[in-house]
Amino acid sequence: MPPTASFNEERRLEILRDYDILDTQVEQAYTDLINCAAYICNAPIAVINFIDADRQWFKAERGLGIRETPLDISICRHALFEEDIMIIEDTRTDARTRVNPLVSGNNKALRFYAGALIKSHNGFPLGTLCVLDYQPRTLTEEQIELLKALRRQTMLLLEYRRIHQAQNKLLNELNHARGEMQRLAHEDPLTGLLNRRAFEEKLAHVSLLKHKQERGMLLMLIDLDNFKQINDTYGHQVGDIVLNHAAGIMKQVLRTEDALCRWGGDEFIALLEAGSGEQAIKIGHRLRDALSKSPLPHAEQTLRVSASVGLAWFHPQRSLDDNIAQADKALYHAKRDGIGVTLFSA
């Protein structure tokens, strides 16, 4: 744009792109407006266009058969510097258009132009609703007013689009925030595992599914050995690293369908499906082996993590406290007897 422009061209293009209208599909609402404009003005060509940085792009067109032209042959770009409407009764006598190849050519030369300026909600010129003809002519006052009315309808369509997009963006942000709140409400912030509340909801849900009673389901209570000593020796920051490291190992050993939770402190709990007690014990030993074989480098030494595991059959008809109490008894015996993994037996 020439330096005499009364607007900031960079800002104008930024606003145009905010409408996200460029290169969109043909829409009947815009097509209806140019058809009305062509009929009212008795013009063979009618266009709704937007002036981009280096091109003139047509949202709707009648009588041209193309969707864009280079900016240097655009007549509409001159209308950006008008306040309301630009009418050129004979393009070959107007200094702005007479050398334009669309005007000076002999084959279907454009000889008449009338464009009503399309502005943004904050007053920046974006393009025009215009009519063109192959011979010099003029418009009546009534035709001019109706062209302006159609232009206003075009601006309303643009504003509806902008508002609709803003609403969609807000809804997406709200949905994302809602999902994030849901995640945070059910996730342990340190390890990313289920938190106690989420695990209790999981158990309550399982308790309602009676068919689950026929499938072997166990609670696995996992306690990191000597974790208090790690905290006292290296500090809580290192303790958090150990907890997160252990949680990652557990996620690798257990299946994705096994609900795994950080129960509190250095205790973890999981709900497993297992065909037998022996199979569950094997899973417990596999988890302990994976922890022992995955030392955690720290400073100039290596921290080795071990765990004890208590297992108990999950009975949906019993209370949560009773079910966990059985797994806790098994964990107590595993620690006391130094055997690593114990299955509770009544």
Side-chain angles (χ1 to χ4, degrees):
M1 291 298 161
T4 55
S6 59
F7 50 81
N8 183 313
E9 174 65 1
E10 184 177 344
R11 178 61 178 150
R12 187 191 74 81
L13 291 172
E14 181 182 329
I15 292 171
L16 174 60
R17 286 174 174 78
D18 284 343
Y19 281 92
D20 196 25
I21 190 71
L22 296 174
D23 298 310
T24 54
Q25 295 295 317
V26 172
E27 296 179 58
Q28 190 61 48
Y30 293 91
T31 300
D32 289 344
L33 291 175
I34 61 166
N35 286 338
C36 288
Y39 178 78
I40 290 168
C41 299
N42 192 27
I45 300 172
V47 171
I48 291 174
N49 66 78
F50 297 97
I51 306 301
D52 200 0
D54 57 1
R55 61 174 177 156
Q56 172 182 250
W57 182 79
F58 306 140
K59 175 61 179 174
E61 62 82 22
R62 175 190 174 108
L64 288 178
I66 56 176
R67 294 299 301 276
E68 66 178 60
T69 67
L71 191 60
D72 58 0
I73 62 171
S74 168
I75 298 176
C76 293
R77 67 190 176 99
H78 299 290
L80 297 188
F81 308 107
E82 302 293 333
E83 285 298 318
D84 189 23
I85 192 165
M86 183 177 82
I87 298 176
I88 303 177
E89 296 183 358
D90 187 347
T91 55
R92 287 186 176 176
T93 62
D94 190 288
R96 295 168 294 183
T97 57
R98 64 189 178 195
V99 296
N100 189 309
L102 299 178
V103 172
S104 59
N106 294 322
N107 185 25
K108 286 195 171 183
L110 301 176
R111 298 294 304 277
F112 168 78
Y113 175 89
L117 190 61
I118 298 171
K119 292 185 179 181
S120 67
H121 65 285
N122 48 4
F124 278 80
L126 305 177
T128 69
L129 186 156
C130 65
V131 292
L132 301 100
D133 207 335
Y134 299 117
Q135 54 189 335
R137 50 173 292 197
T138 187
L139 295 179
T140 65
E141 288 298 322
E142 184 179 22
Q143 287 173 324
I144 292 172
E145 290 306 313
L146 289 173
L147 193 63
K148 292 179 180 179
L150 294 174
R151 180 268 313 275
R152 288 192 292 271
Q153 294 303 308
T154 304
M155 292 168 66
L156 283 176
L157 286 177
L158 273 183
E159 283 308 301
Y160 289 150
R161 178 185 181 84
R162 182 180 66 85
I163 293 170
H164 180 67
Q165 288 178 321
Q167 289 175 336
N168 281 343
K169 181 180 178 182
L170 179 59
L171 285 174
N172 288 336
E173 290 174 351
L174 288 173
N175 287 334
H176 176 76
R178 188 181 296 114
E180 188 67 10
M181 290 175 64
Q182 184 78 359
R183 182 185 67 80
L184 292 174
H186 290 79
E187 186 178 283
D188 174 60
L190 176 63
T191 63
L193 302 179
L194 297 178
N195 59 22
R196 181 186 288 252
R197 172 186 171 184
F199 191 76
E200 289 175 348
E201 290 178 0
K202 173 74 173 179
L203 293 184
H205 177 69
V206 168
S207 297
L208 294 175
L209 301 177
K210 294 184 179 181
H211 73 277
K212 287 283 188 181
Q213 297 180 27
E214 300 174 1
R215 303 171 67 178
M217 301 199 73
L218 296 102
L219 288 177
M220 173 184 280
L221 198 58
I222 308 156
D223 184 75
L224 300 186
D225 298 328
N226 303 317
F227 182 72
K228 183 178 184 302
Q229 182 180 347
I230 292 175
N231 262 343
D232 292 343
T233 304
Y234 302 102
H236 290 283
Q237 185 175 4
V238 174
D240 287 348
I241 294 173
V242 169
L243 288 171
N244 201 37
H245 172 73
I249 300 299
M250 293 176 198
K251 284 192 286 188
Q252 292 176 16
V253 172
L254 300 180
R255 299 163 300 182
T256 55
E257 61 266 28
D258 297 326
L260 177 60
C261 161
R262 182 185 176 199
W263 192 242
D266 61 336
E267 280 193 337
F268 299 82
I269 193 168
L271 181 65
L272 311 177
E273 288 189 11
S276 65
E278 290 78 9
Q279 182 184 2
I281 291 173
K282 286 181 180 179
I283 294 172
H285 282 298
R286 191 159 65 244
L287 187 149
R288 294 184 74 247
D289 290 343
L291 286 171
S292 65
K293 293 176 180 177
S294 303
L296 183 64
H298 173 68
E300 297 180 355
Q301 53 190 314
T302 299
L303 299 179
R304 296 192 175 275
V305 183
S306 64
S308 299
V309 177
L311 292 157
W313 291 105
F314 176 68
H315 300 281
Q317 68 274 17
R318 295 181 183 175
S319 71
L320 174 61
D321 289 343
D322 286 345
N323 276 293
I324 292 178
Q326 291 182 347
D328 196 46
K329 287 178 182 178
L331 178 63
Y332 170 77
H333 287 295
K335 280 185 170 291
R336 185 195 63 183
D337 299 338
I339 56 177
V341 180
T342 302
L343 173 64
F344 174 83
S345 58

